[in-house]
Amino acid sequence: MNSSKDVNEWIDEVLFEYSLQKNSCSSFKKDFAGYYSQELLSSAYYVVVDEIPLPTFLTEINVRFKEFLDLDTHGITYKDTYFIKGDHLTNKALHFHELVHVVQWRLLGAEDFIERYLGELDAYGYDEALLEKMAYGLQADYEERKVFNVENIVKGNL
């Protein structure tokens, strides 16, 4: 089974299913000025959900994915769209974090992002996965009010 292909197809189905519920991240123009380009914000989206859509079929492939899927996640990014639980809608740091993943998806492309993310989950677990560590590190810098261009930093660290 080609897990990245299966995941990519599943993601496309989920994004289609929620396509009418997408909100533009351009609403964060002031909050994220200096961090993200207007182009990125206007072409990235979020969907408010009660339950985060997760590819539960991955648990059949590897136990590490079950650990990941069992986390009480408040948000997850698929390509140019992230899903966020309604009770975390005003959490700007979470939006910031998920937008880091949007940048990663764009720079790596869907297949490469999926392969890398799943590989890192398998090798290191969620807390030590390099793509997650990058997002959490940049989120922490944002929370400390450091201003930097996220897209340039991610590009330089992939």
Side-chain angles (χ1 to χ4, degrees), residues 29-126:
K29 182 176 157 179
K30 287 184 181 179
D31 297 301
F32 299 149
Y35 296 100
Y36 295 104
S37 69
Q38 183 57 44
E39 183 280 323
L40 181 114
L41 293 174
S42 64
S43 60
Y45 307 92
Y46 67 93
V47 177
V48 180
V49 293
D50 293 326
E51 293 294 323
I52 300 293
L54 296 169
T56 54
F57 62 89
L58 287 177
T59 59
E60 300 165 10
I61 299 168
N62 187 299
V63 72
R64 286 268 204 181
F65 304 141
K66 181 174 179 358
E67 292 170 7
F68 167 70
L69 296 173
D70 286 345
L71 293 173
D72 182 24
T73 187
H74 306 300
I76 196 164
T77 303
Y78 299 129
K79 300 183 179 182
D80 65 351
T81 304
Y82 59 92
F83 295 80
I84 188 168
K85 287 187 176 177
D87 57 347
H88 287 80
L89 182 59
T90 60
N91 183 342
K92 295 286 191 313
L94 180 57
H95 286 276
F96 187 95
H97 177 102
E98 297 305 332
L99 281 165
V100 172
H101 290 311
V102 169
V103 174
Q104 293 169 338
W105 275 93
R106 286 191 181 183
L107 291 172
L108 292 171
E111 291 287 327
D112 287 344
F113 179 92
I114 293 166
E115 287 286 332
R116 182 167 171 176
Y117 195 88
L118 294 178
E120 289 179 7
L121 283 179
D122 186 37
Y124 310 114
Y126 177 80

